[in-house]
Amino acid sequence: MATTDAEIERVRELVALIPPGRVATYGDIAAAAGLSTPRTVGWIMRTDSADLPWHRVLRADGRPAPHLAGRQLRRLAAEGCPILDDRVDLRRARFDLAADRSSGD
């Protein structure tokens, strides 16, 4: 099934919510957006994220995409995100999209 404009906009809204120094995984965003797979979030991020804090979205293991690793980790470090061994400490840095959404409604 094709990704709808509404799904794309929802992913964009969720990524925009992630504050400096915090991160979310592709799976976190997919779950919050009601998408069936994190791969859809990855596709959206590859095609429509130039104006978003794309660097705050990571794989489930806390690592950035290999082709973006250096740039992404530098940007996250500059924001004060906890990084150890080229991986973000998700326990400390993960942003709870569900909690933020429920407090803002």
Side-chain angles (χ1 to χ4, degrees), residues 37-91:
T37 178
R39 290 181 184 271
T40 302
V41 176
W43 175 82
I44 292 168
M45 295 298 294
R46 277 191 311 277
T47 60
D48 192 24
S49 68
D51 61 335
L52 294 172
W54 60 267
H55 59 286
R56 298 180 189 146
V57 181
L58 301 165
R59 298 182 332 189
D61 64 359
R63 293 186 190 275
H67 68 286
L68 299 170
R71 188 166 55 149
Q72 192 167 10
L73 290 172
R74 281 190 301 275
R75 289 183 80 164
L76 290 169
E79 293 181 350
C81 193
I83 298 169
L84 180 62
D85 296 327
D86 294 331
R87 176 188 310 224
V88 171
D89 181 349
L90 290 177
R91 186 179 49 79

